[in-house]
Structure formats: C-alpha cells, structure tokens
Amino acid sequence: MGRYTGPVEKLSRREGVDLCLKGERRLNGKSALERRGPQPPGQHGNARRRRESVYAEQLREKQKAKRYYGVREKQFRRYVAAATKKREGVVGEQLLQLLEQRLDNVVYRLGLASTRPQARQFVSHGHVLVNGQRCDIASRQVRPGDVVMVAPEAAVRPVSTVATEQMGRVGAWLEADFDSLAGKVLRLPVRNEIDTPVAEQLIVEFYSRV
C-alpha cells in the first residue's frame, strides 16, 4: 500500500490525538482535532464503540506511531527488530529513540521545519546538511555530536526561518541555533523527553505475536 495522500488532519481525528501533521494551522488552534473534537471522522464518528480487544489496542498504537513519524510498515518493522536486538534498555524506549534519531525528525525537533512532512521534503530535496555534507536520506540515523543545518544556499531558508519563529524550546537532548538555522544532537533522548503520544509497550507486544 502506498503512502496516504488524503487530508492529513483526518489521521489525527482517526487516532484521537494530535499527530503534529499541521504546522501553523495547528499552532493557531485551527486544526480539525480542536474544532471538531477527537471523535473519528465520518457519518458515524460519534457512535458508541464496542470495547476494543487487546489486539485492536496494540494495532491502533502501532498505526498511531507509524503515522506520527511518517514511516511505512516494512521500515517500521525494521526499527522494531533493531530495537529488539539491542541488549541494553527497554525495547519500547529503544524503538522510540531510533525513530527520534531519523534525520527528518531531528530537523523537525530543532524547529527548522514546522511539520515532519515538511522536514522530510527539505531533506529529500537536498536542502539539509549533516556535518557539512548534503544528505537527502530522511531515514538517516543522526548520532550524538552530529550537526544538522539548512544549507546556506537553500531556497527554503525563509520557510525554515518562519518555522523557527513558531518554535518554543527544543528538547534537552538537542541544541538549536535559530540564527544559523542549525542545531546539534547532544545525546540520545530519554523517554520523558519524547512527547510521542503512544504506548510503546503495546507496539512491542503487537510485533511479538505476529
């Protein structure tokens, strides 16, 4: 199945949480989730639902995480497998760390783009440098010590500047320089620094049974 190309706010309403798929519109309180509430879209969105099974809850958390980070199923499975193979730490937290280390996510977390889809576009179009080298791979794993910046000659710099003006504080695991449209990864984030609205343990349980 290809990437979803419909209205992105419908995904947030489907999951009942803000998936951060809209930038300025979300910050201005105009997102569909705030205007229409968390009920699912569609004619029967307000209908009372039956209690979900454990499997359905696990599946929902997995879908939520995939949509939050913009990752497809095959790639998401690889992240779960990589997290499972690590010998230290909790598997669920390791999974979120791997997702947070994606270059497109780091660009977004640094405030250099207003949404992850926009950050992914910046990267894929060659507007982002990692340690001074151009990188167009959104899934690249950024590591502690890496410096990420919008290329000095990039046409998207005005757009990125607007994004930084909408940004509050960056995570403690990052260091941002909004004037230079750059930032540095100081260390890996811990769970309480990752605001992803998912129950990662349910995701681990889902893949342990399939």
Side-chain angles (χ1 to χ4, degrees), residues 2 11 18 36 39-41 44 47 58-59 61 69-70 75 81 90 93 123 135 140 144 163 176 183-185 188 206:
L11 297 179
D18 184 7
R36 301 181 183 181
Q39 67 272 12
H44 303 292
Q58 295 169 347
L59 177 62
E61 290 303 303
Y69 288 101
Q75 193 172 32
V90 180
E93 184 172 338
V123 175
C135 180
R140 171 173 173 167
K184 183 177 182 179
V185 179
L188 297 183
F206 173 86

Side-chain angles (χ1 to χ4, degrees), residues 74-89:
K74 186 176 181 180
Q75 193 172 32
F76 196 80
R77 282 178 178 269
R78 289 201 294 266
Y79 284 124
V80 175
T84 303
K85 290 179 181 178
K86 292 194 174 186
R87 298 182 178 180
E88 297 181 359

Side-chain angles (χ1 to χ4, degrees), residues 176-195:
D177 181 350
F178 292 156
D179 293 333
S180 301
L181 296 182
K184 183 177 182 179
V185 179
L186 302 177
R187 56 177 172 77
L188 297 183
V190 295
R191 181 61 182 98
N192 61 13
E193 295 172 331
I194 303 174
D195 60 1

